[in-house]
Amino acid sequence: MASHTLSALPISQSCHRLTSDSSSSPSLALPWRLNPHNNLVSSLIGKKLSIQSSTSKPLVSKHCPPVATVLSSLPIRKPEGASSEKTPKWSARAIKSFGMAELEARKLKYPNTGTESLLMGILVEGTSIAAKFLRANGITLFKVREETVNLLGRSDMYNFSAEHPPLTEQAQRALDWAVAEKLKSGESGEITATHMLLGIWSQKDSAGHKIMASLGFDDEKAKELAKSMNVDVVLSHK
């Protein structure tokens, strides 16, 4: 038996025809493909139909999930008496930690990147000595995030943070402390994630300091961590 085929119009065009016809006629005239009295429809039951695909574009959500943007440096104030050539560079892990901090602030829909976000960013990056030290002392990302919500609350669900949420004054001072401490040491090398973490700890009234203290971090642990301040990662050779 010969196979009968039918090339049909996209549904959107037929719907448009239905709408325009209904305004000029008191009775609804179904398109020929849907009219039960049309002999062509009844005769094609059980036959092979070839339908043209619609050219309409699929709907795309306007709200994209937050992503981290790679940065080449961190927003810091130039130290007094230091030239741009003498200002040390941030390590790759510190820069990634900062990028993750911005992402965490956006996830929580906070308008700013605070010391609590910097702390979470270090833990999200996860490979620096600072991050490993925190985890070894029971300070995990889950606990920090939970303490952050308990301390600062949740943001409005309809609020959307900027791609780079600006730093709070305390977070800015924490980064500036890290740079100043590196310059004070007189040692070469980069500013590490440990500098950043101890910068957070230096801001006594900040949310990051309060969260660290509530999870067991203290001045003794800060002194212990400071011994490896100029190293971001320990490579083991077997």
Side-chain angles (χ1 to χ4, degrees), residues 64-76:
C64 299
V67 295
T69 304
V70 177
L71 302 174
S72 60
S73 186
L74 274 64
I76 57 172

Side-chain angles (χ1 to χ4, degrees), residues 209-224:
H209 180 99
K210 293 176 182 178
I211 291 169
M212 291 172 68
S214 68
L215 295 175
F217 198 90
D218 54 27
D219 288 334
E220 291 300 318
K221 289 184 173 61
K223 291 177 182 178
E224 181 183 350

Side-chain angles (χ1 to χ4, degrees), residues 6-237:
L6 171 65
S7 179
L9 293 174
I11 294 176
S12 58
Q13 296 183 23
S14 299
C15 293
H16 175 71
R17 184 182 305 167
L18 176 60
T19 304
S20 60
D21 290 346
S22 61
S23 60
S24 59
S25 175
S27 60
L28 284 176
L30 292 174
W32 62 268
R33 292 180 297 108
L34 303 179
N35 194 331
H37 300 293
N38 195 309
N39 294 330
L40 179 59
V41 174
S42 59
S43 64
L44 290 178
I45 296 177
K47 308 300 182 181
K48 178 180 177 182
L49 300 178
S50 175
I51 307 298
Q52 294 179 357
S53 61
S54 174
T55 57
S56 59
K57 296 181 180 180
L59 295 176
V60 179
S61 174
K62 294 182 179 180
H63 302 300
C64 299
V67 295
T69 304
V70 177
L71 302 174
S72 60
S73 186
L74 274 64
I76 57 172
R77 289 186 281 245
K78 184 178 177 181
E80 294 182 6
S83 62
S84 57
E85 292 79 8
K86 293 183 179 180
T87 303
K89 305 296 184 182
W90 291 88
S91 70
R93 286 178 174 81
I95 293 174
K96 185 176 180 182
S97 295
F98 182 80
M100 294 298 104
E102 290 187 327
L103 182 59
E104 287 301 309
R106 293 171 62 195
K107 282 181 179 179
L108 293 173
K109 298 183 179 179
Y110 288 161
N112 297 92
T113 302
T115 52
E116 72 290 338
S117 297
L118 294 178
L119 179 58
M120 287 188 282
I122 292 172
L123 287 165
V124 172
E125 190 282 324
T127 65
S128 66
I129 288 180
K132 293 177 180 178
F133 186 87
L134 289 172
R135 289 198 301 271
N137 286 275
I139 302 176
T140 64
L141 175 62
F142 177 80
K143 290 180 180 179
V144 171
R145 189 178 286 143
E146 185 176 39
E147 287 296 319
T148 297
V149 173
N150 290 338
L151 182 63
L152 302 179
R154 296 183 181 276
S155 182
D156 188 340
M157 65 177 295
Y158 297 107
N159 178 55
F160 290 93
S161 303
E163 182 178 359
H164 299 291
L167 289 169
T168 62
E169 182 61 29
Q170 291 171 327
Q172 183 67 71
R173 287 200 300 265
L175 297 183
D176 293 342
W177 183 96
V179 176
E181 196 66 23
K182 179 64 181 180
L183 290 171
K184 189 190 302 182
S185 69
E187 298 185 21
S188 59
E190 299 172 317
I191 310 171
T192 66
T194 301
H195 285 99
M196 185 186 297
L197 180 62
L198 294 179
I200 297 170
W201 184 248
S202 71
Q203 304 304 307
K204 303 299 183 182
D205 295 329
S206 68
H209 180 99
K210 293 176 182 178
I211 291 169
M212 291 172 68
S214 68
L215 295 175
F217 198 90
D218 54 27
D219 288 334
E220 291 300 318
K221 289 184 173 61
K223 291 177 182 178
E224 181 183 350
L225 183 59
K227 296 175 182 178
S228 56
M229 188 182 293
N230 293 302
V231 182
D232 232 357
V233 63
V234 176
L235 299 177
S236 59
H237 300 280

